[in-house]
Amino acid sequence: DIQMTQSPSSLSASVGDRVTITCQASQDISNYLNWYQQKPGKAPKLLIYDASNLETGVPSRFSGSGSGTDFTFTISSLQPEDIATYYCQQYDNLPPTFGQGTKLEIK
Amino acid sequence: EVQLVESGGGLVQPGRSLRLSCAASGFTFDDYAMHWVRQAPGKGLEWVSGISWNSGSIGYADSVKGRFTISRDNAKNSLYLQMNSLRAEDTALYYCAKASKDQAVAGSDYWGQGTLVTVSS
């Protein structure tokens, strides 16, 4: 199975800050990576697909980059409604494994 | 609007069985693969199983292989998960998720709200 190592596991930042989360795959997954947002008590929501494509309707402050084994998810200017846990997921091979998640809090 | 509505969860004793269902609407069901993903209380997301559009390709997590069976009925726009020999560690919120393409090796672009399975004596 492909292992996805996501960091940090938690992050505290101020409104307006630039926030970056990284995800590293245990092998080359090309650009087969999604980023999801999960707010407390809610289902995950797809934000970024194919590593860098913004899902329709998602604010442009969210972005993704990377290919191969190293990926980055960025919020350019943190908003209060961005408080959530963020997950990466690879879908190059079965099983489509998730990262451990990054819990984002407002400082 | 894509809608995925799970049902069938509940409290079940270890060793017993449970069948989850997912009713899909708002998209052409038989154009897409489907997944089950679970989340244990306070934990992260774990992919459980996936099935291609025509049931020709199916995959399972090692943790459920041999105990769980995924299936779909394209005529009924429905996805199922038969869970046998349940264990305490299967306790989780089970999400039905639409894949972004017709094969099981895909991410998920829409998720249901989940159905809770609790395995306890």
Side-chain angles (χ1 to χ4, degrees), chain A residues 44 89 96 98, chain B residues 6 35-39 44-49 81 92-97 108 111 114:
Chain A
Q89 182 199 29
F98 291 91
Chain B
E6 303 94 337
H35 297 294
W36 288 101
V37 178
R38 70 184 180 184
Q39 188 168 36
L45 301 170
E46 179 189 17
W47 179 83
V48 173
S49 184
L81 186 68
L93 187 64
Y94 284 73
Y95 291 105
C96 165
S108 299
W111 300 62

Side-chain angles (χ1 to χ4, degrees), chain B residues 18-105:
Chain B
L18 210 56
R19 188 193 196 209
L20 305 184
S21 299
C22 172
S25 61
F27 65 102
T28 304
F29 185 70
D30 55 11
D31 277 352
Y32 295 94
M34 297 293 294
H35 297 294
W36 288 101
V37 178
R38 70 184 180 184
Q39 188 168 36
K43 302 297 184 182
L45 301 170
E46 179 189 17
W47 179 83
V48 173
S49 184
I51 185 169
S52 64
W53 69 280
N54 63 352
S55 305
S57 176
I58 287 174
Y60 297 98
D62 286 345
S63 57
V64 307
K65 201 171 293 183
R67 300 188 298 122
F68 290 12
T69 302
I70 192 171
S71 62
R72 64 189 294 161
D73 185 337
N74 288 345
K76 295 183 177 179
N77 288 354
S78 293
L79 177 72
Y80 307 101
L81 186 68
Q82 178 66 43
M83 305 186 295
N84 298 333
S85 303
L86 282 161
R87 306 167 179 167
E89 54 265 36
D90 296 318
T91 294
L93 187 64
Y94 284 73
Y95 291 105
C96 165
K98 171 187 168 292
S100 54
K101 57 183 183 181
D102 60 358
Q103 294 303 312
V105 184

Side-chain angles (χ1 to χ4, degrees), chain A residues 1 32 34 36 38 41-46 55 87 89 91-100, chain B residues 35 37 39 43-47 57-59 61-62 95 104-113:
Chain A
D1 296 0
Y32 298 122
N34 282 351
Y36 301 95
Q38 187 179 33
K42 299 294 186 182
K45 175 186 175 183
L46 177 65
E55 178 74 349
Y87 296 91
Q89 182 199 29
Y91 48 95
D92 181 55
N93 279 335
L94 285 181
T97 41
F98 291 91
Q100 312 94 301
Chain B
H35 297 294
V37 178
Q39 188 168 36
K43 302 297 184 182
L45 301 170
E46 179 189 17
W47 179 83
S57 176
I58 287 174
D62 286 345
Y95 291 105
V105 184
S108 299
D109 52 7
Y110 290 93
W111 300 62
Q113 289 305 304

Side-chain angles (χ1 to χ4, degrees), chain A residues 17-93:
Chain A
D17 281 355
R18 183 180 184 87
V19 169
T20 298
I21 299 169
T22 64
C23 197
Q24 184 171 60
S26 59
Q27 65 188 67
D28 191 333
I29 60 169
S30 185
N31 67 332
Y32 298 122
L33 185 103
N34 282 351
W35 289 97
Y36 301 95
Q37 175 193 65
Q38 187 179 33
K39 295 185 177 181
K42 299 294 186 182
K45 175 186 175 183
L46 177 65
L47 300 181
I48 303 287
Y49 65 94
D50 294 344
S52 60
N53 293 295
L54 195 67
E55 178 74 349
T56 302
V58 173
S60 59
R61 65 179 180 275
F62 297 100
S63 64
S65 64
S67 66
T69 60
D70 294 304
F71 301 87
T72 301
F73 172 81
T74 301
I75 306 174
S76 60
S77 178
L78 185 66
Q79 300 302 303
E81 60 266 31
D82 300 336
I83 297 313
T85 300
Y86 293 85
Y87 296 91
C88 62
Q89 182 199 29
Q90 68 80 21
Y91 48 95
D92 181 55
N93 279 335

